[in-house]
């Protein structure tokens, strides 16, 4: 499952920070996940619980901030939020749009001790 | 509280950048082939190698969860191939690919094909350092695949519609499929192809050559800029 390897990358990044920023336990972790990040939030939570066992992030509270998809319309030169890669422009109805954002898979911040 | 603001896949992206620099410096064109299982990636590679008849040196990295069959099929053509067994892993990552490049040591100006694990989901998120992703969709799959897996078709530079020899037996709407791909990615190139009959193979080879030219042009303009800098420096001595 895809979310499992995302969680493994997440734990590697956290552990690298634990060494460089000198902490031993993560209490709370905030992630920013874009709507085109290709990640199921529930599967990510499940993977997080499994993968963090025995690491400094075990038991950490996981906050997931969902970021909207962003798109640009070529019909009327406007930007808008969307949750689909194939939506029509809400202003002029044109289907000639380009997705410009929403694929974020980011660690925002963490509370550590 | 510590602010991190880093990409979760930062480690992979770092390895991918390393791969990309190495490959570009040696003007090796790396193409990451992605599809569902059975769309015809290995068959297409075998036919592509035959068609190239050694005119362009080729090396192949095969990603598979367990077997080595695909690498064996490639080696039977006389081309160097390395199998990466990902086990439970459902995609190749840039670290694995970096080691595979070390082992294979592809020639300068060659084409490196990377056959990803058959899966249209996660290979979209894992940059390998390739020049382009090529999505292969066979006409035995649904024409709505680009809408079901939009992240992958958005990430691909080319979509190959394979197994067109079977079209007469199916009610696959090829125009609708192409329209769906262009809705998620207005820039995507499309080639209709049959690895079995050879239809469309010339267009595919032409596309590969065009990508090689793009890579070489970039190296040439970098080299020219460097030369201009050196000349300017000399004239100021
Ligand atoms: N009819 C037809 N069958 C094809 C074509 N290309 C591949 N196949 C068949 O599709 C099956 C899967 O092909 P393979 O190359 O192993 O797919 P992969 O899993 O994407 O590497 C094999 O039985 C191939 O012979 C094609 O162009 N036409
Ligand atoms: Mg294969
Ligand atoms: Zn508009
Ligand atoms: Zn995967
Ligand atoms: Zn290594």
């Amino acid at each position: 499952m895809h979310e499992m390897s995302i969680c493994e990358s997440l734990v590697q990044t956290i552990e690298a920070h634990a060494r460089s920023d000198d902490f031993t336990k993560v209490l709370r972790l905030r992630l920013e996940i874009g709507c085109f990040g290709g990640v199921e939030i529930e599967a990510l939570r499940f993977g997080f619980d499994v993968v963090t066992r025995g690491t400094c992030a075990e038991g950490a509270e996981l906050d997931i901030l969902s970021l909207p998809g962003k798109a640009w319309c070529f019909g009327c030169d406007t930007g808008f939020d969307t949750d689909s890669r194939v939506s029509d422009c809400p202003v002029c109805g044109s289907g000639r749009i380009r997705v410009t954002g929403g694929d974020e898979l980011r660690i925002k911040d963490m509370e550590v001790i | 509280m510590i602010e991190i603001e880093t990409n979760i896949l930062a480690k992979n992206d770092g390895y991918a950048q390393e791969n990309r620099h190495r490959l570009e410096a040696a003007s090796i064109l790396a193409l990451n082939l992605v599809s569902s299982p059975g769309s015809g990636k290995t068959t297409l590679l075998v036919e592509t190698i035959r068609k190239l008849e050694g005119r362009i040196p080729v090396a192949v990295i095969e990603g598979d969860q367990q077997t080595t069959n695909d690498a064996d099929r490639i080696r039977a053509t006389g081309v160097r191939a390395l199998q990466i067994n990902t086990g439970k892993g459902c995609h190749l990552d840039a670290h694995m690919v970096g080691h595979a490049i070390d082992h294979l040591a592809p020639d300068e100006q060659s084409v490196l094909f990377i056959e990803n694990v058959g899966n249209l989901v996660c290979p979209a998120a894992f940059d390998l350092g390739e020049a382009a992703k090529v999505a292969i969709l066979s006409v035995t799959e649904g024409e709505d695949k680009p809408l079901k897996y939009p992240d992958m078709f958005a990430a691909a530079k080319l979509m190959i519609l394979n197994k067109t020899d079977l079209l007469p037996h199916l009610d696959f709407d090829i125009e609708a499929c192409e329209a769906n791909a262009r809705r998620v990615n207005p820039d995507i190139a499309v080639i209709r192809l049959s690895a079995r009959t050879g239809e469309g193979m010339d267009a595919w080879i032409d596309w590969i050559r065009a990508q090689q030219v793009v890579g070489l042009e970039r190296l040439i303009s970098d080299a020219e800029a460097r030369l201009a800098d050196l000349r300017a420096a000399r004239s100021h001595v």
Side-chain angles (χ1 to χ4, degrees), chain B residues 21-101:
Chain B
H21 284 143
R22 275 171 78 182
L23 293 164
E24 285 182 357
S27 88
I28 295 166
L29 176 70
L31 299 175
N32 181 1
L33 272 55
V34 292
S35 82
S36 308
S39 302
K41 297 181 295 302
T42 312
T43 311
L44 174 66
L45 284 179
V46 168
E47 294 309 315
T48 304
I49 291 164
R50 289 221 176 97
K51 188 99 186 164
L52 289 174
E53 291 175 324
R55 275 172 295 156
I56 302 173
V58 171
V60 179
I61 296 173
E62 282 290 342
D64 193 70
Q65 292 190 294
Q66 265 139 41
T67 66
T68 62
N69 300 347
D70 285 353
D72 295 341
R73 283 164 69 189
I74 301 293
R75 282 192 208 104
T77 67
V79 155
R80 264 180 293 169
L82 191 96
Q83 183 87 39
I84 301 177
N85 286 125
T86 57
K88 279 182 291 160
C90 41
H91 56 267
L92 292 174
D93 68 40
H95 184 224
M96 301 169 179
V97 167
H99 281 293
I101 296 170

Side-chain angles (χ1 to χ4, degrees), chain A residues 2 5, chain B residues 89-91 119 122:
Chain A
H2 177 47
S5 50
Chain B
C90 41
H91 56 267
N119 167 359
C122 23

Side-chain angles (χ1 to χ4, degrees), chain B residues 131-152:
Chain B
K133 289 188 177 70
V134 176
I136 294 147
L137 181 58
S138 66
V139 299
T140 55
E141 305 170 63
E143 55 264 326
D144 57 347
K145 272 262 164 103
L147 301 181
K148 278 194 181 150
Y149 301 97
D151 298 328
M152 185 58 90

